[in-house]
Amino acid sequence: MPTHRAVHDAVRAVGGLDAFSQMLTQAEAAMGVGEGAVVAATRHFDEAVRDMAGDVVGAVITELAVAPLPQHAGGDVRAYSRGMMAAMVRMDLTRRTADLRAQLQRLSPEDEGYDGVFRQLMVIEQRRQRYSGYERG
């Protein structure tokens, strides 16, 4: 869906999950670890994404933010939310891996930046493996 793609693009433009993690870390430093910091970081991230998206897509983001979560009667909203976040993390790690592999293919091992790109790829691969372990465990 083009609208959902535009929302995804706005999230990526803001910095994706890394940006949210940084906002959460800042909120926790200011407010302490807890629900208040999560709420503050979430609001800040939502505002940043809506600002990046513009008026039309921003309205869609607002609509998505207040829409009820799809769930079965007696369903576990926490499990649904974890599943959605897991899908976003997997998608982000997959995209980063693909971008870095494509960059490596364009470089020769003798190129100055090759080692740096290779190290970045290894870090992302390690994150992906750790994340897959958390998901299973």
Side-chain angles (χ1 to χ4, degrees):
M1 293 188 210
T3 304
H4 289 101
R5 180 67 186 173
V7 171
H8 180 261
D9 290 345
V11 170
R12 284 183 62 191
V14 167
L17 295 175
D18 288 339
F20 177 76
S21 294
Q22 291 173 354
M23 291 174 192
L24 180 58
T25 299
Q26 292 170 351
E28 288 174 342
M31 304 170 77
V33 175
E35 188 175 336
V38 173
V39 169
T42 302
R43 284 186 180 145
H44 183 80
F45 185 73
D46 179 57
E47 289 171 9
V49 172
R50 281 188 286 131
D51 289 346
M52 180 63 67
D55 292 338
V56 174
V57 177
V60 172
I61 293 168
T62 299
E63 184 178 321
L64 289 170
V66 298
L69 295 174
Q71 59 180 324
H72 301 288
D76 184 3
V77 174
R78 188 174 297 251
Y80 173 79
S81 299
R82 274 194 217 115
M84 292 300 294
M85 287 302 293
M88 288 176 58
V89 169
R90 278 192 309 273
M91 183 173 56
D92 185 56
L93 292 173
T94 299
R95 179 195 54 81
R96 286 180 178 188
T97 299
D99 290 348
L100 289 169
R101 285 179 191 232
Q103 194 174 351
L104 271 179
Q105 287 178 345
R106 291 188 299 269
L107 294 171
S108 166
E110 293 82 27
D111 286 340
E112 192 173 306
Y114 185 90
D115 289 339
V117 173
F118 185 77
R119 277 192 297 275
Q120 289 176 7
L121 178 60
M122 292 300 101
V123 168
I124 295 299
E125 284 290 338
Q126 288 173 350
R127 280 188 194 165
R128 187 183 60 75
Q129 288 173 359
R130 273 196 318 265
Y131 182 75
S132 295
Y134 294 143
E135 258 187 329
R136 279 184 245 122

